[in-house]
Amino acid sequence: QQQQQQHRRRQQQQQRDDSACDDISVTAAHRGATAAMASGQQQQQNGSAPPFALDEQPTIAVAVKNFFAEQVAQQFAAASVLQQCARHLLLTINAGDIMHPVKYGEWRPQADEQSGIDRLDEISRYTYAHRVVTTVRQRLGDKSQKLSALLGRSYLRIVFPQVRQQLQHRLEAGDPQLQSVQDHMRDFLDTFQRELFNDASLAWAEDVQATLQARAEERKQRAEQMKALIDSGDFASLYVPDTAGGAEGENSVEEVVADEEEEDSERAT
């Protein structure tokens, strides 16, 4: 009988845990954060939508995996180290150890060129991000649901400076857990940060395959335009300036298209 009672209690606890995980789905997390604001915390004064959506796709976890795959395609020999870099990045994000908004304001004071309205917007977005993390942590004290599986790019753009600083401090302190990635972590973070703030990043594409197909279609259209130029005898238009700083006319459109196809092929692989 005692075993049956224990079994029932375990089932009830499991049901509660499952219910909690369901409640912290992306949509429910949004409702929870909004409810928390309505019950004693500062709401958006004009009743507008939250500073950023909580149903962004891809999630941080998916984007980091995409980014890792891109890096491995370029540095296959370093795949093991890159995997550890990605792992430590996700662990730091999932820890959700971000500053209170008041401390954040002191840590990042208003820049001279930043307007008052822009500063208020920055603080509002950060406060909302902090509130979301707090709400998730309160609902799931066991941290069974990872922040990287719930949130997307907008959240990470807000908190990434802190995530990066935390990893850099650990590197500078000689953290033994980061010893294996000591020589790669900074470059990994540099490249990841560029992708994070690049709106055209393939790693952050909602549908990678669809994005690759769209790019292939663009190349096809450019090839057709190039053929039309050849047929018309307008050979001068077949060359484009070298964006890397070379002389104008150094790279043909055909060469640029070929380079793009090779790059996308590596990423798809």
Side-chain angles (χ1 to χ4, degrees), residues 107-120:
W107 179 62
R108 289 179 69 96
Q110 182 176 354
D112 293 338
E113 66 276 9
Q114 187 179 32
S115 70
I117 293 178
D118 288 344
R119 177 62 172 177
L120 288 174

Side-chain angles (χ1 to χ4, degrees), residues 66 70 195 200-205 207-208 211-212 215 264 267-268:
N66 292 341
E70 288 183 357
E195 291 290 300
S201 168
L202 187 62
W204 289 94
D207 188 329
V208 174
T211 302
L212 288 173
R215 292 184 179 182
D264 282 350
R267 288 174 169 173

Side-chain angles (χ1 to χ4, degrees), residues 204-268:
W204 289 94
E206 187 170 346
D207 188 329
V208 174
Q209 291 303 320
T211 302
L212 288 173
Q213 291 175 2
R215 292 184 179 182
E217 182 61 29
E218 289 178 3
R219 287 194 295 270
K220 180 180 177 182
Q221 293 177 1
R222 290 167 62 185
E224 292 174 350
Q225 293 172 355
M226 183 172 63
K227 183 178 182 300
L229 290 171
I230 293 175
D231 293 342
S232 68
D234 187 8
F235 298 105
S237 297
L238 294 176
Y239 294 88
V240 294
D242 179 9
T243 56
E248 184 173 346
E250 187 174 318
N251 293 336
S252 70
V253 172
E254 186 175 12
E255 290 171 335
V256 173
V257 170
D259 290 342
E260 290 177 351
E261 287 178 342
E262 181 179 357
E263 181 180 350
D264 282 350
S265 177
E266 290 177 353
R267 288 174 169 173

Side-chain angles (χ1 to χ4, degrees), residues 119-267:
R119 177 62 172 177
L120 288 174
D121 180 66
E122 176 192 352
I123 296 300
S124 174
R125 290 171 63 83
Y126 183 82
T127 300
Y128 184 73
H130 183 271
R131 189 171 300 144
V132 168
V133 172
T134 302
T135 301
V136 171
R137 289 290 175 254
Q138 288 175 345
R139 290 188 170 216
L140 286 178
D142 60 356
K143 300 183 180 180
S144 60
Q145 186 72 294
K146 298 179 176 68
L147 290 172
S148 62
L150 290 174
L151 302 172
R153 173 187 269 187
S154 293
Y155 165 79
L156 188 56
R157 281 179 168 177
I158 293 171
V159 304
F160 187 75
Q162 291 183 62
V163 170
R164 176 164 190 157
Q165 183 188 66
Q166 290 165 17
L167 285 167
Q168 287 177 334
H169 284 174
R170 291 176 59 192
L171 287 170
E172 293 167 0
D175 189 331
Q177 293 184 349
L178 297 180
Q179 186 174 1
S180 62
V181 299
Q182 184 79 29
D183 297 331
H184 292 80
M185 195 68 191
R186 289 182 176 83
D187 288 340
F188 184 89
L189 293 174
D190 284 342
T191 310
F192 182 80
Q193 181 171 320
R194 286 196 295 271
E195 291 290 300
L196 175 62
F197 290 93
N198 176 13
D199 292 336
S201 168
L202 187 62
W204 289 94
E206 187 170 346
D207 188 329
V208 174
Q209 291 303 320
T211 302
L212 288 173
Q213 291 175 2
R215 292 184 179 182
E217 182 61 29
E218 289 178 3
R219 287 194 295 270
K220 180 180 177 182
Q221 293 177 1
R222 290 167 62 185
E224 292 174 350
Q225 293 172 355
M226 183 172 63
K227 183 178 182 300
L229 290 171
I230 293 175
D231 293 342
S232 68
D234 187 8
F235 298 105
S237 297
L238 294 176
Y239 294 88
V240 294
D242 179 9
T243 56
E248 184 173 346
E250 187 174 318
N251 293 336
S252 70
V253 172
E254 186 175 12
E255 290 171 335
V256 173
V257 170
D259 290 342
E260 290 177 351
E261 287 178 342
E262 181 179 357
E263 181 180 350
D264 282 350
S265 177
E266 290 177 353
R267 288 174 169 173

